[in-house]
């Protein structure tokens, strides 16, 4: 059974930084494993938006244009944890952030691709 536990959200001022964590279980990060792991967000009144993802096959990543240069996704295989480092946060980054996973790489920023979703962590950026 796949479980995704996101944490690290909070209230931060514009220009600040946060690092979100997603502790995974049921996914192995070995060189011959197949997975796609990503981060999505959902702001009030808006559709779910894919932020960043990584594919197991070649460790390639995808990042949406609105956060390029500010957000970075990385992983700690020993801890089976993926992270989303967020710098220079803006009020429009306010949303609930979700960690997602699927066993079908390559990864995509399309929400419907992912079978497994974590519970989400709230990020609020004040102006």
């Amino acid at each position: 059974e796949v479980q995704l536990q996101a944490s690290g959200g909070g209230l931060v001022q514009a220009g600040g930084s946060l690092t979100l964590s997603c502790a995974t279980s049921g996914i192995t990060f070995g060189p011959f494993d197949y997975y796609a792991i990503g981060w999505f967000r959902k702001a009030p009144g808006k559709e779910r938006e894919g932020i960043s993802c990584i594919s197991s096959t070649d460790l390639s990543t995808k990042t949406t244009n609105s956060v390029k240069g500010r957000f970075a996704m990385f992983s700690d295989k020993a801890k089976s944890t993926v992270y989303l480092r967020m710098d220079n946060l803006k009020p429009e980054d306010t949303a609930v952030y979700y960690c997602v996973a699927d066993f079908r790489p390559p990864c995509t920023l399309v929400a419907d691709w992912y079978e497994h979703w974590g519970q989400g962590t709230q990020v609020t950026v004040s102006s």
Side-chain angles (χ1 to χ4, degrees):
E1 180 185 3
V2 174
Q3 293 188 340
L4 307 169
Q5 184 71 38
S7 62
L11 174 63
V12 63
Q13 287 187 332
S17 298
L18 281 175
T19 298
L20 306 183
S21 302
C22 176
T24 75
S25 64
I27 302 173
T28 53
F29 288 65
F32 304 108
D33 291 312
Y34 290 91
Y35 58 82
I37 297 179
W39 288 93
F40 281 71
R41 67 186 179 187
K42 174 73 168 67
K46 294 186 178 181
E47 297 292 321
R48 289 178 298 182
E49 178 185 20
I51 301 302
S52 186
C53 68
I54 186 167
S55 301
S56 64
T57 47
D58 57 2
L59 299 183
S60 61
T61 59
K62 295 182 174 72
T63 304
T64 194
N65 287 337
S66 64
V67 305
K68 278 184 179 178
R70 301 189 297 122
F71 291 13
M73 184 175 176
F74 59 99
S75 64
D76 183 333
K77 294 182 179 181
K79 296 182 178 179
S80 297
T81 300
V82 295
Y83 303 89
L84 183 68
R85 170 71 180 182
M86 307 185 294
D87 295 319
N88 191 21
L89 283 160
K90 303 176 181 181
E92 52 263 42
D93 295 319
T94 294
V96 177
Y97 283 71
Y98 297 90
C99 177
V100 301
D102 202 277
F103 292 106
R104 300 170 295 165
C107 74
T108 171
L109 297 182
V110 176
D112 289 343
W113 181 256
Y114 294 91
E115 179 178 358
H116 306 284
W117 288 69
Q119 87 289 0
T121 184
Q122 175 72 46
V123 172
T124 303
V125 185
S126 63
S127 57

